[in-house]
Amino acid sequence: MTNRDQRLPKEVFQIDSRVKTGWFSDEYLNNTARILSALAKENYKFGDNKSDLLDVDITEVKNGNLELEMQFFTRRKPFSVVVGVDEALAILEEGTGYFDENGNFVNTYKNLEVEAVRDGSMVDYDGNPLNVKPVLKIRGRYRNFAHLETVLLGVLSEPTRIATNVYSTLVASEGKDLLFFPARFAHYKMQGIHGYAHKIAVETYNKMHKKELPAFVSTHEQGSWWGGRGGGTVAHATIASFLGNTPETMMQFARIMPVETPRIALVDFHNDCVGETLKVMAKMFEKYWEAYEKGDTKEADKYKLYGVRPDTSGNMIDKCIEEPHTDDDFGVNPKLVWRLRKAIDNGYMDWENNFTCNDIMSKKKEVAKKWCEDIKIIVTGGFDVEKIKRFEKFKVPVDVYGVGSSLLKNDKKTNNDYTADVVRVKIHNKWYNLSKKGRKPCDNKELERVN
């Protein structure tokens, strides 16, 4: 488990040294820093120019060294699972400051006042920007951190979107295990933060719903930030490597792979999930029973089929679904899963000719029945929140959902952006409210002072 009482160490993020130069920042923010730096060198004073601060003496204000308060908040309705705060803090610590005349970077992070929530915090948003819960507040000389705004918004927006999508998917699945499969849909350099966002979302879901779900990722990089490891079984290419023979594929997988790796058969290679499943089951159980009967439980465990995975393409209708067909019969659908569950549970009945009336064969039948009933169904292929909700509504016997691209997506109806606004300025050692129209200083009781 990730210890949420501690921030992730800065080294985890491998922060690019160019961050402090403004290389990754919107240029208008770099321009702001340049202008303010130039004014500071000139000892520029605001003088008698008109300001929004009525009844405040601003004539001696040195704008180049002005201290501002900036608040960062998410605009996703109705809530967000916040992730990216630890990285944002690391970037502030590494990148706050300026380059002196000799080109040396002078770090001024220690002069900031920073408040932040913890990764995994949930913040709600009702659509009113005057009623927000900031996840990060920064007070300090603006020209020293202006160049970081773009980067800070990005490291908050991306993982928060992923985490909130994962959390919503877990809610839709009513707490069933979720396999995190979006690695192939994003640049590989994003895997670390994506996997971490998934982990935090699972932890948040467990906390909110009193569950103990594990976080499953498919690549080692996805688990790199928190010590997780990628897991997986077989691909269609694996079966092709065995010339389309799925049962033999699984037999060799079971023989060679460590027993800790779940034996999950991919069963849609021939668009016959039920038929393929029964063939795999028959072959694996015979090997299982052979070892079981000898008392070799270690060997038997190699041939215990953990689950089957239908991954039928959205343009295909599985062989087990009879005509006339409807649009609901394509891909992995409720009808297919119900038929698959029934076939799995009753699979041992097809082996009746192997069960005679003696005690040993009666035991074999008992063992076979449980072996079959323990097999789980893991579904993949185009699953998102709406599809999962539909499956759960009709109590389709799915044990595990594998979800990919939908966990990365921006919902067209949802704004996943973060916004950063200046909401206060410091004049003569006193803070005054100052922001653009439609914004104001807001608070969040979960904000903590960061040392």
Side-chain angles (χ1 to χ4, degrees):
M1 290 288 289
T2 305
N3 185 354
R4 298 313 318 137
D5 292 330
Q6 297 179 358
R7 305 280 185 184
L8 286 176
K10 183 172 60 175
E11 294 72 26
V12 168
F13 308 111
Q14 302 180 46
I15 299 169
D16 194 308
S17 61
R18 293 173 295 176
V19 165
K20 64 183 67 172
T21 71
W23 181 261
F24 300 97
S25 303
D26 292 310
E27 191 62 11
Y28 67 87
L29 295 171
N30 291 329
N31 289 341
T32 303
R34 293 185 187 106
I35 292 168
L36 293 176
S37 296
L39 295 179
K41 289 182 180 179
E42 297 171 0
N43 202 33
Y44 169 87
K45 296 180 181 179
F46 195 67
D48 59 0
N49 289 297
K50 183 180 179 181
S51 85
D52 287 352
L53 298 176
L54 303 179
D55 302 322
V56 178
D57 181 11
I58 43 80
T59 55
E60 295 298 312
V61 169
K62 297 181 179 181
N63 302 76
N65 291 319
L66 195 63
E67 293 186 48
L68 306 178
E69 177 183 315
M70 179 168 278
Q71 64 183 18
F72 293 71
F73 66 91
T74 173
R75 295 190 291 178
R76 179 164 177 164
K77 296 188 292 185
F79 69 90
S80 290
V81 178
V82 177
V83 180
V85 176
D86 289 1
E87 186 172 11
L89 294 176
I91 288 169
L92 274 173
E93 182 180 345
E94 184 76 8
T96 299
Y98 62 93
F99 287 89
D100 64 18
E101 294 179 355
N102 297 318
N104 299 313
F105 186 74
V106 179
N107 191 297
T108 63
Y109 172 73
K110 64 182 181 180
N111 297 327
L112 297 182
E113 293 180 21
V114 181
E115 295 177 77
V117 303
R118 296 279 177 173
D119 279 344
S121 299
M122 294 188 70
V123 296
D124 56 324
Y125 178 58
D126 61 6
N128 182 1
L130 293 173
N131 181 33
V132 301
K133 292 182 177 179
V135 304
L136 175 66
K137 283 188 176 184
I138 306 169
R139 282 184 171 185
R141 191 163 66 187
Y142 182 62
R143 66 178 169 90
N144 291 160
F145 67 89
H147 61 289
L148 300 178
E149 181 179 330
T150 303
V151 180
L152 296 175
L153 290 169
V155 302
L156 288 167
S157 295
E158 175 79 6
T160 294
R161 183 181 77 250
I162 307 301
T164 309
N165 288 345
V166 170
Y167 183 92
S168 298
T169 303
L170 286 168
V171 171
S173 72
E174 299 188 4
K176 292 181 177 177
D177 285 339
L178 178 68
L179 305 182
F180 189 69
F181 282 168
R184 64 184 59 192
F185 304 109
H187 195 287
Y188 73 93
K189 291 183 179 179
M190 299 303 297
Q191 288 184 19
I193 184 58
H194 286 175
Y196 176 67
H198 169 69
K199 169 70 169 176
I200 296 300
V202 173
E203 288 183 355
T204 302
Y205 180 85
N206 286 341
K207 179 180 178 181
M208 299 297 293
H209 296 267
K210 295 180 172 58
K211 298 283 188 177
E212 295 183 358
L213 300 180
F216 291 107
V217 292
S218 64
T219 76
H220 297 326
E221 176 62 16
Q222 287 174 335
S224 62
W225 286 22
W226 46 276
R229 300 283 289 176
T233 52
V234 299
H236 292 108
T238 319
I239 301 171
S241 298
F242 284 88
L243 309 181
N245 190 323
T246 304
E248 182 61 16
T249 301
M250 290 308 302
M251 291 299 289
Q252 296 308 315
F253 181 96
R255 183 179 68 85
I256 295 171
M257 294 299 294
V259 71
E260 293 79 17
T261 304
R263 278 62 176 142
I264 300 174
L266 186 58
V267 293
D268 65 287
F269 194 86
H270 297 104
N271 199 41
D272 180 14
C273 289
V274 171
E276 204 90 320
T277 294
L278 293 176
K279 291 175 185 176
V280 171
M281 289 171 60
K283 196 161 187 176
M284 287 189 69
F285 178 75
E286 276 308 308
K287 192 69 174 178
Y288 175 87
W289 173 253
E290 180 184 317
Y292 181 92
E293 192 177 18
K294 294 177 181 178
D296 189 350
T297 55
K298 186 176 180 180
E299 181 69 12
D301 285 345
K302 289 184 178 181
Y303 298 93
K304 183 161 179 60
L305 186 59
Y306 177 85
V308 297
R309 177 165 73 95
D311 188 45
T312 308
S313 299
N315 64 335
M316 303 284 286
I317 298 177
D318 188 87
K319 182 179 178 179
C320 74
I321 300 177
E322 66 280 353
E323 295 182 354
H325 294 144
T326 69
D327 290 343
D328 294 330
D329 293 336
F330 288 90
V332 179
N333 60 79
K335 196 181 294 183
L336 168 58
V337 177
W338 275 314
R339 282 162 172 68
L340 190 54
R341 182 75 262 170
K342 183 178 180 180
I344 292 170
D345 290 344
N346 297 326
Y348 73 99
M349 295 181 181
D350 293 334
W351 312 331
E352 287 284 3
N353 59 338
N354 294 324
F355 306 139
T356 58
C357 293
N358 62 52
D359 290 344
I360 293 177
M361 289 301 103
S362 294
K363 177 64 174 177
K364 184 177 182 180
K365 183 176 181 179
E366 177 186 334
V367 171
K369 183 175 185 293
K370 186 175 189 310
W371 188 92
C372 293
E373 291 174 348
D374 284 348
I375 296 170
K376 300 182 183 299
I377 296 178
I378 299 96
V379 294
T380 55
F383 279 85
D384 57 16
V385 167
E386 293 308 314
K387 186 172 182 178
I388 292 173
K389 281 182 178 179
R390 187 165 68 253
F391 270 57
E392 291 301 306
K393 176 182 179 180
F394 294 108
K395 302 188 184 305
V396 181
V398 170
D399 296 292
V400 181
Y401 290 100
V403 185
S405 61
S406 71
L407 298 177
L408 305 182
K409 290 180 178 177
N410 275 305
D411 188 327
K412 293 180 180 178
K413 299 179 182 179
T414 303
N415 185 342
N416 289 279
D417 298 343
Y418 270 79
T419 292
D421 291 310
V422 171
V423 292
R424 289 190 178 99
V425 296
K426 190 176 185 181
I427 309 292
H428 307 311
N429 291 318
K430 183 177 180 180
W431 288 97
Y432 294 91
N433 292 353
L434 188 147
S435 60
K436 73 174 186 177
K437 191 75 172 178
R439 298 287 194 270
K440 72 171 187 178
C442 295
D443 199 15
N444 183 349
K445 64 181 181 181
E446 293 191 41
L447 285 169
E448 302 174 4
R449 180 70 179 269
V450 178
N451 293 326

